[in-house]
Amino acid sequence: MVPDGVYYYRALTRFVRVNPGGVVQVLDEATTGFRTLRVDTQPPLLRLEPELEGLITAETPLVVTGWVHDESDVRVLVNGNEAALVDYLFSGETSLVEGANEVVVEAADAAGNTVSLSRHVTLDTQPPILGSATLEGLPAAGAALDTLSPRFEVLYDDSPAGVFGSGVSLKVNGAEQRRES
């Protein structure tokens, strides 16, 4: 097998006639200029910027960006949709459905070598469902406060989108509250 690289060659063309007696007669001979042959067995280099694995977003369509490099022309697809390519940078879009999604980015070079990356992204456009809220430690109206930290407990469910609490925050009077498990 010939290693990857660029090779140059010249071709010699002979126009011949074979006489009835089997004698070969050269009528004309021509040499072509140098020709180029590129051997490419390697796929393009492909990287997502920023990395998408595990992303939770409320936006659709999702814009997928990154870079791709190869010695020949390259085509990039994002979930089957052609991505725009400027120099080595690409940008493409894909629609997401509520919940878990797979985003597949594929690149192919002029020789047909391909590479693909698969990432898991969650679309969560729905707010968590409030199950119940309880407040403990508040004194009766007019009584003196014996604690400055009343206990406030909130039960919620964000499972319809496949998100289980890691991205939920609680604000009271605009201030972020500490989360305890």
Side-chain angles (χ1 to χ4, degrees):
M1 172 167 279
V2 177
D4 282 12
V6 177
Y7 299 89
Y8 301 97
Y9 67 93
R10 284 173 64 164
L12 173 65
T13 306
R14 287 188 174 155
F15 298 96
V16 298
R17 174 176 61 190
V18 179
N19 293 332
V23 176
V24 176
Q25 178 185 9
V26 177
L27 300 175
D28 194 12
E29 194 171 86
T31 303
T32 64
F34 282 100
R35 306 287 178 164
T36 303
L37 172 67
R38 178 181 300 276
V39 176
D40 179 6
T41 61
Q42 300 301 310
L45 299 174
L46 179 63
R47 182 173 177 154
L48 301 179
E49 294 282 341
E51 178 58 54
L52 297 176
E53 184 63 35
L55 175 71
I56 300 171
T57 182
E59 302 292 322
T60 188
L62 177 68
V63 176
V64 179
T65 56
W67 61 264
V68 62
H69 176 72
D70 196 81
E71 295 298 322
S72 65
D73 291 337
V74 179
R75 181 176 182 211
V76 178
L77 301 176
V78 176
N79 278 1
N81 302 315
E82 187 90 27
L85 187 61
V86 177
D87 295 325
Y88 297 114
L89 305 175
F90 71 87
S91 178
E93 290 185 351
T94 187
S95 296
L96 301 175
V97 296
E98 192 73 22
N101 292 266
E102 182 179 24
V103 176
V104 178
V105 180
E106 300 170 285
D109 66 17
N113 301 306
T114 61
V115 62
S116 90
L117 300 174
S118 175
R119 300 296 186 259
H120 298 92
V121 175
T122 300
L123 177 64
D124 182 8
T125 62
Q126 303 300 313
I129 300 166
L130 183 61
S132 65
T134 58
L135 186 59
E136 299 171 356
L138 286 181
L145 286 175
D146 63 348
T147 180
L148 297 177
S149 300
R151 179 174 165 77
F152 185 67
E153 181 177 81
V154 176
L155 302 176
Y156 61 90
D157 178 17
D158 202 19
S159 60
V163 180
F164 297 100
S166 62
V168 176
S169 64
L170 175 67
K171 291 185 179 181
V172 176
N173 294 332
E176 186 86 22
Q177 300 302 305
R178 185 170 45 105
R179 179 175 179 251
E180 295 180 12
S181 298

